[in-house]
Amino acid sequence: MINEEIIIAGFGGQGVLSMGKILAYSGLMNGLEVSWMPSYGPEMRGGTANVTVILSEERISSPILTSYDTAIILNQQSLDKFENAVKPGGILIYDPSGISNPPTRHDLNVFSVEATKAANERNMSKIFNMIVLGGYLKVNPVVSLEHIEAGLKKSLPERHHNLIPANIEGLKLGASLIQRENFYKAAC
Amino acid sequence: MSELRLMKGNEALAEAAIRAGVDAYYGYPITPQSEVMEYLMKANPEKTTGMVVLQAESEVASINMVYGAAGAGKMAMTSSSSPGVSLMQEGISYIAGAELPCVVVNVVRGGPGLGTIQPSQADYFQTVKGGGHGDYKLITLAPASVQEMADFMKLAFDLAFKYRNPAMILSDGAIGQMMEKVELFDPVPRRTDEKVAEQCPWATTGRKRGTQKRVITSLRLVASVQEEFNIKLQNKYKEIQEKEVRSEMLQCDDAEFVIVAYGSSARTSMKAVQIAREHGLKVGLLRPQTLWPFPSKQIETLINNGVKGFLSVEMSAGQMVEDVKLAANGGAKVEHYGRMGGVIASPSDIYEALKKFAK
């Protein structure tokens, strides 16, 4: 049964909130219950931004959480803040650029995705967040590519629909870039 | 056809206002509810339904524009957040005193004063115990989801017109800012002038030859006349109390302890109840959807069914807890748990409080 509680965290401007929105919209297209709860407030201006996304087959209780199945981490502050908030056996995905102290927990499935580097090399900085999302969906295909496409169509204004193929390309690139850093299997 | 969308609570409320056939929105921006007017301005319903959307010069102006439009039988509304709603209190009292229907939305933030822009529920007293002066009541709806932000918009107007009474949608920053799936109801056309005249025989729509003068006022200088009016209001409030209580109960059937919570606190509490159940605690949730009228009878019934205690979970120093105590009337233990100033108690915080409470 799908009940995925995700935190996405990084700098304001990295596309954290929109990545969450696309994920939530795709979940909706997949017939799931969804919630998208941003951190809103003065800290958003130039500071850190994070969003909690829940995808579930059941009615969602709290959109506000303190522990998560998955953390998608895009800067050091967010890693420091959320590494310990991932449930044991959960998933932690991070972009190594700008990370000087990588994750240390051994009870998580840790993955890295070199999205910043790849986006810069290919002049794709605008779809940086889609590269990260592609990495996540490779690890946990909670929604399909078709649902993402449908979600993009719904969440982007029509004048931007010509950008959808580039976004899909970003997703695929992310799927090819993601690397497992450690393996954890919950004790049975 | 109803339509599925992913929307912020504030946006869903704004879209629902257009779909409910609202005639006029007057407002002034303030975080965390600015998306309401932003959405309306962008949607520009004046072109489609003819709904007026106007940014007033202040909240005081907004509520008095609502007063004027409501006097003409129009479906008029405003929205704001805590400091702005404080400014509106005089107007709200006048509207209640003139027995006019309207909807005021408060997407509550932390206070007192300018406080913070983060979610809070500290305006409960202001909303259900007065706020403005005089013996009046606001029909108060408390949405706990984006879906209810949309649905309660229509319900609030239905109730306001049914009882000729201002209605308040008491939301909070979290419900306003979060996005969820929402099924939007089919649009209802705005009422025609004939329909307004038929529905609102009291409205000042222009006096015609041979018709009686209609006066809309909250001024009744003769004490006995004012008292007669007060009695009429109280009778109306009694009827609302009997007929319009709405609430949701979750896992209360075998519950020994029940959390009472509304708005986003109800959502975090729902999760706390799940955690508690996993740990074998027999706990349920009573979620008032109307804060006034308050679901006092439901609390009485739960006590009769063996509930030993109620924990009121609010983002305040404890306001609704007083109504829970009044309803319990000594029949069960009642306590409050909450965080203040825009801090949201997490489900695990609430579970810990619940564990202590249930001991």
Side-chain angles (χ1 to χ4, degrees):
Chain A
M1 198 191 68
I2 300 174
N3 183 27
E4 174 79 347
E5 300 172 339
I6 310 157
I7 180 88
I8 308 172
F11 287 121
Q14 277 181 314
V16 165
L17 298 186
S18 61
M19 192 198 316
K21 192 175 164 182
I22 290 160
L23 190 55
Y25 238 127
S26 311
L28 186 142
M29 293 292 136
N30 193 15
L32 297 171
E33 298 296 322
V34 298
S35 77
W36 176 95
M37 181 76 218
S39 65
Y40 77 91
E43 82 273 14
M44 280 179 76
R45 293 178 194 279
T48 56
N50 68 69
V51 61
T52 304
V53 175
I54 305 174
L55 307 172
S56 179
E57 284 176 61
E58 289 186 331
R59 178 181 178 183
I60 293 168
S61 54
S62 177
I64 298 147
L65 301 168
T66 41
S67 62
Y68 309 90
D69 300 308
T70 297
I72 301 173
I73 300 295
L74 302 175
N75 66 9
Q76 186 69 53
Q77 285 106 306
S78 302
L79 182 61
D80 297 343
K81 192 169 172 188
F82 292 111
E83 182 177 358
N84 285 325
V86 185
K87 296 175 195 168
I91 298 169
L92 192 155
I93 296 172
Y94 73 104
D95 182 342
S97 5
I99 300 283
S100 40
N101 304 310
T104 53
R105 275 178 68 182
H106 296 295
D107 59 345
L108 301 179
N109 293 295
V110 179
F111 299 86
S112 67
V113 55
E114 294 259 18
T116 308
K117 197 172 149 224
N120 288 343
E121 280 168 9
R122 292 169 178 78
N123 210 7
M124 290 166 77
S125 59
K126 276 195 176 152
I127 51 158
F128 157 78
N129 59 352
M130 297 304 283
I131 301 175
V132 178
L133 184 59
Y136 165 66
L137 292 175
K138 167 85 179 182
V139 172
N140 189 9
V142 64
V143 290
S144 70
L145 215 57
E146 291 84 69
H147 294 134
I148 292 271
E149 207 166 340
L152 281 168
K153 274 191 186 136
K154 272 274 194 179
S155 62
L156 287 173
E158 208 145 308
R159 63 177 192 281
H160 289 150
H161 279 191
N162 59 330
L163 300 173
I164 291 175
N167 279 279
I168 300 288
E169 202 189 317
L171 287 174
K172 288 180 179 158
L173 178 61
S176 70
L177 287 175
I178 189 139
Q179 279 184 350
R180 187 179 271 281
E181 299 277 309
N182 80 334
F183 187 79
Y184 173 80
K185 201 172 170 196
C188 303
Chain B
M1 263 286 285
S2 61
E3 198 186 332
L4 268 190
R5 279 204 224 164
L6 182 74
M7 293 178 111
K8 282 191 174 192
N10 288 334
E11 296 168 343
L13 179 121
E15 174 63 31
I18 301 172
R19 286 175 180 245
V22 171
D23 296 301
Y25 172 93
Y26 310 101
Y28 190 81
I30 181 170
T31 306
Q33 69 76 54
S34 294
E35 290 87 359
V36 177
M37 191 161 52
E38 272 171 25
Y39 186 94
L40 288 171
M41 287 283 184
K42 212 170 161 193
N44 196 9
E46 202 163 350
K47 286 253 164 62
T48 49
T49 71
M51 174 185 179
V52 171
V53 181
L54 186 79
Q55 177 171 338
E57 65 268 39
S58 71
E59 289 87 349
V60 176
S62 308
I63 193 68
N64 284 291
M65 288 175 183
V66 168
Y67 187 9
K74 297 293 183 187
M75 287 169 72
M77 67 175 291
T78 182
S79 67
S80 189
S81 180
S82 309
V85 177
S86 287
L87 284 167
M88 293 182 189
Q89 292 304 320
E90 181 196 46
I92 292 172
S93 168
Y94 278 42
I95 292 168
E99 279 207 281
L100 291 177
C102 74
V103 175
V104 179
V105 181
N106 186 358
V107 184
V108 180
R109 61 190 243 177
L114 280 175
T116 169
I117 61 175
Q118 311 290 342
S120 163
Q121 295 179 318
D123 297 359
Y124 180 91
F125 280 155
Q126 184 193 56
T127 311
V128 306
K129 307 287 177 194
H133 58 281
D135 271 327
Y136 77 91
K137 291 286 182 193
L138 291 176
I139 298 167
T140 306
L141 301 175
S145 63
V146 174
Q147 185 66 52
E148 284 187 341
M149 285 290 263
D151 295 345
F152 285 4
M153 192 68 238
K154 192 154 180 276
L155 177 63
F157 270 108
D158 287 348
L159 294 173
F161 272 81
K162 186 172 173 191
Y163 294 102
R164 276 186 69 181
N165 204 74
M168 172 78 84
I169 295 178
L170 191 69
S171 184
D172 61 66
I175 300 290
Q177 292 298 323
M178 71 187 275
M179 285 204 281
E180 282 186 310
K181 183 166 91 176
V182 54
E183 193 175 345
L184 293 164
F185 55 83
D186 294 341
V188 182
R190 275 179 58 236
R191 297 160 308 153
T192 58
D193 288 351
E194 292 73 33
K195 189 80 211 271
V196 171
E198 188 193 309
Q199 190 187 9
C200 314
W202 42 264
T204 49
T205 51
R207 190 178 176 191
K208 287 165 200 81
R209 208 173 273 278
T211 58
Q212 267 205 319
K213 185 160 87 174
R214 295 170 190 166
V215 179
I216 286 175
T217 181
S218 65
L219 177 71
R220 293 164 195 88
L221 278 176
V222 180
S224 60
V225 175
Q226 179 62 41
E227 191 190 33
E228 206 180 306
F229 175 74
N230 284 131
I231 291 167
K232 184 184 161 206
L233 276 187
Q234 293 306 317
N235 288 336
K236 174 169 86 174
Y237 297 154
K238 216 175 132 196
E239 189 190 341
I240 297 172
Q241 215 142 14
E242 276 160 17
K243 291 184 184 165
E244 305 299 348
V245 172
R246 285 165 172 81
S247 67
E248 184 188 21
M249 283 196 210
L250 287 170
Q251 312 208 49
C252 283
D253 288 348
D254 63 338
E256 286 177 19
F257 296 93
V258 167
I259 293 181
V260 188
Y262 67 96
S264 52
S265 289
R267 299 292 296 273
T268 41
S269 295
M270 223 183 274
K271 183 108 181 169
V273 167
Q274 282 172 13
I275 302 171
R277 286 271 169 183
E278 281 161 19
H279 288 83
L281 275 181
K282 284 188 177 170
V283 180
L285 173 71
L286 169 64
R287 177 171 78 86
Q289 291 164 302
T290 52
L291 296 174
W292 190 85
F294 191 72
S296 306
K297 285 232 172 75
Q298 281 70 3
I299 288 178
E300 250 180 77
T301 310
L302 286 170
I303 294 173
N304 292 337
N305 292 351
V307 171
K308 290 188 250 169
F310 295 89
L311 185 65
S312 182
V313 176
E314 310 164 57
M315 292 189 284
S316 74
Q319 301 191 6
M320 182 177 71
V321 63
E322 293 192 2
D323 284 330
V324 180
K325 273 186 186 160
L326 282 172
N329 199 16
K333 176 167 94 160
V334 178
E335 277 176 27
H336 161 262
Y337 173 74
R339 300 289 299 269
M340 294 175 282
V343 179
I344 303 172
S346 71
S348 45
D349 293 342
I350 298 169
Y351 167 63
E352 289 303 321
L354 196 57
K355 243 183 7 191
K356 260 188 227 152
F357 176 71
K359 253 183 198 160

